[in-house]
Amino acid sequence: MTIAFLGTGLIGAGLVEAALGRGEQVTVWNRSLDKAQALAAKGARVAETPAGAVAGAARVHLALSDDAAVDGVLTQVAPRLAAGALVIDHTTTQPAGTAARAESCAARGIAFLHAPVFMSPALCREAKGMMLCAGPEAVFKQAEGALARMTGQVWYLGERADLAAVFKLFGNAMIIAVSAGLADVLSLAAAAKVAPEDALGLFDRFNPGESVPMRGARMAKGVYAPASFGLAMARKDVRLMLETAGDLPLAALPGIAARMDQVIAAGHGEEDMGVLAAEALARARAGA
């Protein structure tokens, strides 16, 4: 069986290296040909065009930059796909665009799954981490074994075509928020003349992530009665952080302060700071 990988950036290259290590026959294409050619020494066949890469492939994996890139490549390869070929897109994409793409593929008779990953390049090479997947169950069942070999955990979210895209954004939102929070901690450390390593050493002893299940469950249920951290008190603490940082750059705290001020002005200062989610939840329920 020959498989094709279109897009050999950090994630795509890691997935290709793992596939080659399993003894799979892999054809690769990348817009910047040198990135694809770097995999030739490891056993991959390099194609000069996307259409050339998919010729005769039983599975076609996409690991591209964005929706426009995926749509452009699919347009090029659709006429050259082998009968019964599976197209599996690992790209992080916009949910609405993913749903439209899945519908278009179904109309053209293309078996399509969206399967973004929570895997670093190193984890891709080691086949560890998590892969999300959404699309027709029959197609997923056909691909499940191959996907399981690519990752430590495959989470099939069902037939709603955009769900893997949505859940990928959920996860990346938290990763980005954590990175921004760490950047702000380091700004506070610099302002307070604390070594960065010492500042981050706090989190060897204190794990703020432990609050996510409890606080998240309360927020999802719309429970904002004061529990452990009222919004007005949290806003006071953010003021202390902003004052401490002075003119040093901050990635997250100014935006958080502005949103807190809006919610406090609306009369929610004495509620738990989870009330920051109340407006979004109310709109979601009104539209349900």
Side-chain angles (χ1 to χ4, degrees):
M1 177 187 294
T2 299
I3 62 175
F5 272 86
L6 308 181
T8 57
L10 293 174
I11 297 300
L15 294 173
V16 168
E17 289 183 33
L20 293 170
R22 292 189 295 270
E24 299 186 58
Q25 297 180 10
V26 185
T27 301
V28 299
W29 169 86
N30 194 72
R31 185 180 61 179
S32 301
L33 199 58
D34 58 324
K35 290 184 179 180
Q37 289 172 335
L39 293 164
K42 299 182 179 182
R45 185 178 76 85
V46 178
E48 294 187 358
T49 66
V54 305
R59 281 198 326 272
V60 176
H61 295 265
L62 310 179
L64 301 166
S65 58
D66 54 26
D67 290 82
V70 174
D71 286 334
V73 165
L74 280 175
T75 297
Q76 294 181 62
V77 305
R80 297 290 301 275
L81 290 172
L86 303 181
V87 176
I88 303 169
D89 181 18
H90 304 290
T91 311
T92 299
T93 50
Q94 211 279 340
T98 305
R101 192 171 305 115
E103 183 177 356
S104 174
C105 284
R108 289 183 286 179
I110 298 172
F112 177 84
L113 294 172
H114 188 222
V117 301
F118 292 118
M119 298 165 68
S120 66
L123 290 179
C124 287
R125 289 190 293 272
E126 297 170 7
K128 297 179 180 178
M130 176 185 286
M131 181 181 293
L132 307 173
C133 191
E137 185 174 7
V139 179
F140 172 71
K141 290 296 185 184
Q142 188 179 352
E144 185 175 10
L147 298 181
R149 289 189 291 273
M150 296 173 65
T151 184
Q153 179 184 355
V154 179
W155 184 11
Y156 176 59
L157 291 159
E159 298 206 349
R160 180 176 154 181
D162 66 340
L163 267 189
V166 172
F167 275 66
K168 171 65 172 176
L169 294 185
F170 293 163
N172 279 8
M174 288 299 291
I175 292 170
I176 291 166
V178 168
S179 296
L182 289 171
D184 285 0
V185 166
L186 292 175
S187 285
L188 290 171
K193 295 181 172 55
V194 175
E197 297 81 5
D198 291 342
L200 296 180
L202 167 66
F203 305 112
D204 294 333
R205 298 171 179 266
F206 164 61
N207 180 9
E210 291 179 349
S211 68
V212 171
M214 178 276 291
R215 184 169 294 282
R218 287 172 57 86
M219 292 170 70
K221 292 176 183 176
V223 177
Y224 308 123
S228 61
F229 212 166
L231 180 59
M233 187 62 68
R235 179 62 179 91
K236 181 268 295 183
D237 286 1
V238 172
R239 173 179 60 79
L240 298 179
M241 298 168 201
L242 296 174
E243 292 171 353
T244 299
D247 61 358
L248 286 171
L250 293 168
L253 288 170
I256 293 170
R259 180 59 184 151
M260 284 178 160
D261 288 343
Q262 292 173 347
V263 178
I264 290 170
H268 301 288
E270 297 309 310
E271 297 181 73
D272 185 82
M273 68 173 175
V275 76
L276 290 169
E279 183 178 349
L281 285 174
R283 291 190 184 189
R285 288 169 179 161

